[in-house]
mmCIF file of all heavy atoms in Angstrom:
data_model
loop_
_atom_site.group_PDB
_atom_site.id
_atom_site.type_symbol
_atom_site.label_atom_id
_atom_site.label_comp_id
_atom_site.label_asym_id
_atom_site.label_seq_id
_atom_site.Cartn_x
_atom_site.Cartn_y
_atom_site.Cartn_z
ATOM 1 N N THR O 94 68.557 30.391 116.687
ATOM 2 C CA THR O 94 67.427 31.068 116.043
ATOM 3 C C THR O 94 67.217 30.515 114.581
ATOM 4 O O THR O 94 68.241 30.330 113.850
ATOM 5 C CB THR O 94 67.636 32.571 116.103
ATOM 6 O OG1 THR O 94 67.567 32.952 117.473
ATOM 7 C CG2 THR O 94 66.481 33.340 115.315
ATOM 8 N N SER O 95 65.974 30.433 114.204
ATOM 9 C CA SER O 95 65.662 29.944 112.814
ATOM 10 C C SER O 95 65.859 31.022 111.819
ATOM 11 O O SER O 95 65.601 32.222 112.045
ATOM 12 C CB SER O 95 64.222 29.479 112.800
ATOM 13 O OG SER O 95 63.739 29.352 111.454
ATOM 14 N N ASP O 96 66.459 30.678 110.685
ATOM 15 C CA ASP O 96 66.561 31.536 109.482
ATOM 16 C C ASP O 96 65.651 30.976 108.411
ATOM 17 O O ASP O 96 65.980 29.930 107.781
ATOM 18 C CB ASP O 96 68.028 31.565 109.051
ATOM 19 C CG ASP O 96 68.232 32.282 107.633
ATOM 20 O OD1 ASP O 96 67.245 32.685 107.053
ATOM 21 O OD2 ASP O 96 69.369 32.265 107.146
ATOM 22 N N ALA O 101 71.481 30.427 107.421
ATOM 23 C CA ALA O 101 72.239 30.515 108.686
ATOM 24 C C ALA O 101 71.435 29.936 109.775
ATOM 25 O O ALA O 101 70.471 29.202 109.556
ATOM 26 C CB ALA O 101 72.592 32.012 108.975
ATOM 27 N N GLY O 102 71.865 30.250 111.029
ATOM 28 C CA GLY O 102 71.056 29.893 112.192
ATOM 29 C C GLY O 102 70.852 28.310 112.276
ATOM 30 O O GLY O 102 71.715 27.558 111.897
ATOM 31 N N THR O 125 63.489 34.125 112.819
ATOM 32 C CA THR O 125 63.489 35.309 111.891
ATOM 33 C C THR O 125 62.769 35.059 110.615
ATOM 34 O O THR O 125 62.793 33.933 110.105
ATOM 35 C CB THR O 125 64.965 35.686 111.560
ATOM 36 O OG1 THR O 125 65.590 34.558 110.807
ATOM 37 C CG2 THR O 125 65.820 36.001 112.797
ATOM 38 N N GLN O 127 63.444 35.941 107.161
ATOM 39 C CA GLN O 127 64.745 36.282 106.590
ATOM 40 C C GLN O 127 64.898 35.705 105.235
ATOM 41 O O GLN O 127 64.431 34.641 104.927
ATOM 42 C CB GLN O 127 65.835 35.766 107.512
ATOM 43 C CG GLN O 127 67.235 36.122 107.128
ATOM 44 C CD GLN O 127 68.335 35.735 108.156
ATOM 45 O OE1 GLN O 127 69.503 35.921 107.851
ATOM 46 N NE2 GLN O 127 67.951 35.232 109.263
ATOM 47 N N ILE O 132 66.966 40.625 107.236
ATOM 48 C CA ILE O 132 66.106 40.104 108.301
ATOM 49 C C ILE O 132 64.928 41.017 108.382
ATOM 50 O O ILE O 132 65.062 42.191 108.765
ATOM 51 C CB ILE O 132 66.794 39.959 109.686
ATOM 52 C CG1 ILE O 132 67.959 38.864 109.578
ATOM 53 C CG2 ILE O 132 65.820 39.545 110.783
ATOM 54 C CD1 ILE O 132 68.718 38.639 110.816
ATOM 55 N N ALA O 163 72.557 32.587 117.757
ATOM 56 C CA ALA O 163 71.841 33.821 118.124
ATOM 57 C C ALA O 163 70.882 33.575 119.260
ATOM 58 O O ALA O 163 69.992 32.807 119.169
ATOM 59 C CB ALA O 163 71.114 34.383 116.875
ATOM 60 N N VAL O 189 76.982 35.278 118.458
ATOM 61 C CA VAL O 189 76.406 36.006 117.383
ATOM 62 C C VAL O 189 75.817 37.354 117.864
ATOM 63 O O VAL O 189 75.007 37.286 118.735
ATOM 64 C CB VAL O 189 75.278 35.173 116.770
ATOM 65 C CG1 VAL O 189 74.529 35.920 115.622
ATOM 66 C CG2 VAL O 189 75.831 33.866 116.213
ATOM 67 N N ALA O 192 73.642 40.046 112.291
ATOM 68 C CA ALA O 192 73.725 39.426 110.982
ATOM 69 C C ALA O 192 74.628 40.203 110.125
ATOM 70 O O ALA O 192 74.881 41.364 110.314
ATOM 71 C CB ALA O 192 72.329 39.303 110.389
ATOM 72 N N SER O 193 75.176 39.583 109.032
ATOM 73 C CA SER O 193 76.032 40.320 108.138
ATOM 74 C C SER O 193 75.284 41.437 107.450
ATOM 75 O O SER O 193 75.884 42.408 107.014
ATOM 76 C CB SER O 193 76.652 39.390 107.152
ATOM 77 O OG SER O 193 75.682 38.497 106.583
ATOM 78 N N LEU O 198 71.245 40.591 116.400
ATOM 79 C CA LEU O 198 70.707 39.294 116.852
ATOM 80 C C LEU O 198 70.984 39.052 118.319
ATOM 81 O O LEU O 198 70.625 37.983 118.864
ATOM 82 C CB LEU O 198 71.321 38.178 115.952
ATOM 83 C CG LEU O 198 70.755 38.160 114.524
ATOM 84 C CD1 LEU O 198 71.646 37.296 113.639
ATOM 85 C CD2 LEU O 198 69.388 37.672 114.505
ATOM 86 N N HIS O 283 76.746 33.253 103.426
ATOM 87 C CA HIS O 283 75.706 33.397 104.441
ATOM 88 C C HIS O 283 75.730 31.967 105.193
ATOM 89 O O HIS O 283 75.514 30.915 104.563
ATOM 90 C CB HIS O 283 74.351 33.610 103.809
ATOM 91 C CG HIS O 283 73.303 33.930 104.868
ATOM 92 N ND1 HIS O 283 73.401 34.820 105.859
ATOM 93 C CD2 HIS O 283 72.046 33.439 105.022
ATOM 94 C CE1 HIS O 283 72.325 34.911 106.595
ATOM 95 N NE2 HIS O 283 71.490 34.019 106.137
ATOM 96 N N CYS O 287 77.962 29.974 111.498
ATOM 97 C CA CYS O 287 77.113 28.898 112.090
ATOM 98 C C CYS O 287 77.757 27.521 111.695
ATOM 99 O O CYS O 287 77.799 26.609 112.444
ATOM 100 C CB CYS O 287 75.725 29.040 111.528
ATOM 101 S SG CYS O 287 74.956 30.626 111.822
HETATM 102 O O1 PXL N 178 75.484 33.951 111.160
HETATM 103 C C1 PXL N 178 74.909 34.333 112.301
HETATM 104 C C2 PXL N 178 73.387 34.114 112.372
HETATM 105 C C3 PXL N 178 72.899 33.273 113.279
HETATM 106 N N1 PXL N 178 71.593 33.022 113.456
HETATM 107 C C4 PXL N 178 70.731 33.599 112.576
HETATM 108 C C5 PXL N 178 71.112 34.415 111.592
HETATM 109 C C6 PXL N 178 72.559 34.737 111.493
HETATM 110 C C7 PXL N 178 73.020 35.593 110.467
HETATM 111 O O2 PXL N 178 72.267 36.080 109.552
HETATM 112 O O3 PXL N 178 70.265 34.987 110.766
HETATM 113 C C8 PXL N 178 69.231 33.290 112.731
#
Side-chain angles (χ1 to χ4, degrees):
T94 295
S95 167
D96 168 2
T125 61
Q127 182 173 176
I132 294 180
V189 177
S193 45
L198 287 166
H283 189 52
C287 306

